[in-house]
Amino acid sequence: MFTKKILKNLSQYKTPFYYYDLQLLQKTLDVVKAESSKYNYNVHYAFKANTNSRIIDLIQKNGLGADCVSGNEVKCAIENKFESSKVVFAGVGKSDDEINYALEKNIFCFNCESLQELDVINELAVKQNKLASIALRINPNVDAHTHKYITTGLEENKFGINPYEFETVIEKLQKLPNLKLIGLHFHIGSQITDLSPFKKLCSRVNEINTYFLNKGFDLPIINVGGGVGINYHEPDKHAIIDFASYFKVFNDFIELRKNQELHFELGRAIIAQCGSLISKVLYIKNGINTNFAILDAGMTELIRPALYQAFHVIENISSKEKNTIKYDVVGPICESSDCFGKAVELPETKRGDIIAIRSAGAYGEVMASRYNLRDEVRSYFSE
Ligand code: LLP
């Protein structure tokens, strides 16, 4: 069990820190590769989920592509030996510098999110005398039924090009000689635990794919993004998600033509269960109605509970107490939202006990901040 190793090495580890299980990451990648290769699907790793260098390195060695949303992510991918022919660049607000850099590196594809972005990429490609491969990021208006902050595929969201703009896009493309349209890109949201939104996405993709074919665009790439969710409630029982069922939905419902490849951009499902945030209890404060366990980790290390009211399993991994008590488990930051969980049942907890906040491998370390001038969070690995 990963906790034993942490407790054994505590004198060398300084809390708070992220602890990553690289064996679990490898096992997860093995399943992703086995299940996606059944259908010849291409999987890109969504860098935004975690850019810790050890993790990126292992993912690169397993041959995944890179889905990037900033120039620095593109740079990180290329510096970590991802082939530029496997790097895609999405994002609603790509700056000129970022586009120029990606053009210089000859990345596989820009996922374009607005009409104006088409003009800008073309203009910069003309200056570099390059032909930029692009996919249109399309807003399919499919509800992902997830937290509103991580829903991206609805008309009200800022992402993508809307179907009512397609005519204009097609007219525009004819006037932009340094763009080559190679595909269609979709991403409807994140932490989607029920597969039915993906079925809906497939039928929208089929309609839109046919529309473009009828307009004379036989596009080789269909990219359906990422978003498949994990089980935050039972991290040990569901350490690896059911990738077989996930990929099967696409195989069953998407209608690809012989020359078309299907691409995915998975983040959370690859890395979330591989990481825990490990923290020490600084103080116990017993109130009339509420007891607080005050940790040395806070929203600066893991912002998900404060930002999305996200649930993470919280465990006292050092206590041998049988008696349990309910605690509000909070951090040291001067914000009331700096709370990891309310009324969490833990063994009677003392100053110095070690707490693990589970399923924190995705959108944990990458979203850490130095608010309150906190130290940068460390990371250690189970090899
Ligand atoms: N592709 C695109 C275009 C995306 O915007 C995202 C995530 C992904 C792929 C990867 O999605 P995943 O497979 O990881 O669900 N910070 C939030 C999650 C934000 C997701 C942003 N986009 C959280 O902590 O829940």
Side-chain angles (χ1 to χ4, degrees), residues 46 48 67 90 137 150 185 187 189-191 225-228 265-268 304 308 363 367:
K48 63 180 83 63
D67 159 41
R137 163 129 186 215
I150 51 176
H185 173 231
H187 173 77
S190 197
Q191 185 50 16
V228 61
E265 302 169 340
L266 299 177
R268 189 188 316 263
R304 302 193 69 259
Y308 317 113
Y363 308 109
M367 292 178 82

Side-chain angles (χ1 to χ4, degrees), residues 44-49 67-69 88 90-91 111 113 137 146-147 149-152 159 185-192 198 223-229 232 246 264-271 302-305 307-308 310 312 362-364 366-367:
H44 296 253
Y45 168 64
F47 263 51
K48 63 180 83 63
D67 159 41
C68 303
V69 285
V88 298
N111 293 333
E113 306 229 11
R137 163 129 186 215
T146 182
H147 191 280
Y149 286 3
I150 51 176
T151 291
T152 50
F159 301 97
H185 173 231
F186 304 82
H187 173 77
I188 55 174
S190 197
Q191 185 50 16
I192 302 167
F198 293 116
N223 180 335
V224 287
V228 61
Y232 278 97
Y246 171 66
F264 292 81
E265 302 169 340
L266 299 177
R268 189 188 316 263
I270 290 177
I271 191 62
L302 178 65
I303 201 173
R304 302 193 69 259
L307 191 57
Y308 317 113
H312 287 259
Y363 308 109
V366 270
M367 292 178 82

Side-chain angles (χ1 to χ4, degrees), residues 39-329:
Y39 313 110
N40 278 327
Y41 291 163
N42 287 269
V43 180
H44 296 253
Y45 168 64
F47 263 51
K48 63 180 83 63
N50 191 317
T51 42
N52 185 298
S53 58
R54 293 286 300 273
I55 286 160
I56 294 297
D57 183 54
L58 188 55
I59 292 173
Q60 185 277 333
K61 290 198 168 91
N62 279 270
L64 275 66
D67 159 41
C68 303
V69 285
S70 71
N72 285 339
E73 283 189 1
V74 173
K75 193 158 179 259
C76 177
I78 287 171
E79 286 176 357
N80 282 283
K81 303 199 183 81
F82 282 78
E83 289 162 34
S84 55
S85 61
K86 283 187 174 180
V87 173
V88 298
F89 183 14
V92 281
K94 302 176 188 76
S95 73
D96 294 18
D97 284 349
E98 291 177 314
I99 296 169
N100 272 326
Y101 175 75
L103 283 169
E104 277 161 28
K105 296 292 169 192
N106 301 314
I107 62 159
F108 176 61
C109 188
F110 290 85
N111 293 333
C112 292
E113 306 229 11
S114 66
L115 293 172
Q116 198 167 33
E117 190 189 326
L118 297 173
D119 293 319
V120 173
I121 297 182
N122 182 66
E123 193 185 307
L124 298 173
V126 168
K127 285 194 191 135
Q128 285 199 29
N129 197 20
K130 292 253 163 98
L131 182 63
S133 292
I134 62 156
L136 300 174
R137 163 129 186 215
I138 288 162
N139 186 335
N141 206 12
V142 170
D143 195 344
H145 298 293
T146 182
H147 191 280
K148 66 174 192 291
Y149 286 3
I150 51 176
T151 291
T152 50
L154 289 178
E155 215 262 336
E156 68 200 53
N157 301 129
K158 68 181 174 182
F159 301 97
I161 293 172
N162 293 295
Y164 57 80
E165 295 170 301
F166 288 170
E167 295 279 336
T168 324
V169 168
I170 290 168
E171 276 165 32
K172 217 178 226 312
L173 283 173
Q174 270 135 24
K175 294 180 209 137
L176 302 174
N178 289 48
L179 297 187
K180 182 178 178 206
L181 181 62
I182 63 165
L184 303 173
H185 173 231
F186 304 82
H187 173 77
I188 55 174
S190 197
Q191 185 50 16
I192 302 167
T193 48
D194 164 17
L195 295 177
S196 55
F198 293 116
K199 291 184 195 163
K200 277 200 197 117
L201 172 63
C202 289
S203 59
R204 290 293 287 141
V205 171
N206 295 340
E207 285 164 29
I208 296 168
N209 195 11
T210 308
Y211 171 91
F212 277 90
L213 182 67
N214 291 340
K215 295 283 177 185
F217 293 91
D218 189 3
L219 304 170
I221 309 294
I222 301 292
N223 180 335
V224 287
V228 61
I230 62 140
N231 189 324
Y232 278 97
H233 290 265
E234 294 176 304
D236 292 317
K237 201 166 156 204
H238 301 280
I240 301 178
I241 72 149
D242 182 0
F243 284 107
S245 304
Y246 171 66
F247 289 120
K248 189 171 180 299
V249 165
F250 292 89
N251 183 56
D252 289 349
F253 293 94
I254 221 161
E255 290 154 13
L256 292 179
R257 296 189 293 274
K258 282 225 162 50
N259 59 332
Q260 289 190 308
E261 286 179 9
L262 194 60
H263 289 220
F264 292 81
E265 302 169 340
L266 299 177
R268 189 188 316 263
I270 290 177
I271 191 62
Q273 299 294 30
C274 304
S276 296
L277 175 61
I278 309 295
S279 172
K280 198 179 271 178
V281 177
L282 292 176
Y283 301 102
I284 296 293
K285 206 162 117 171
N286 292 324
I288 298 171
N289 297 315
T290 315
N291 301 314
F292 293 97
I294 302 166
L295 309 185
D296 65 0
M299 63 194 288
T300 39
E301 285 69 46
L302 178 65
I303 201 173
R304 302 193 69 259
L307 191 57
Y308 317 113
Q309 301 77 47
F311 173 87
H312 287 259
V313 166
I314 300 172
E315 293 167 348
N316 182 330
I317 61 172
S318 60
S319 171
K320 295 198 169 58
E321 279 289 338
K322 295 271 175 300
N323 185 27
T324 65
I325 297 185
K326 285 189 173 154
Y327 297 93
D328 279 14
V329 180

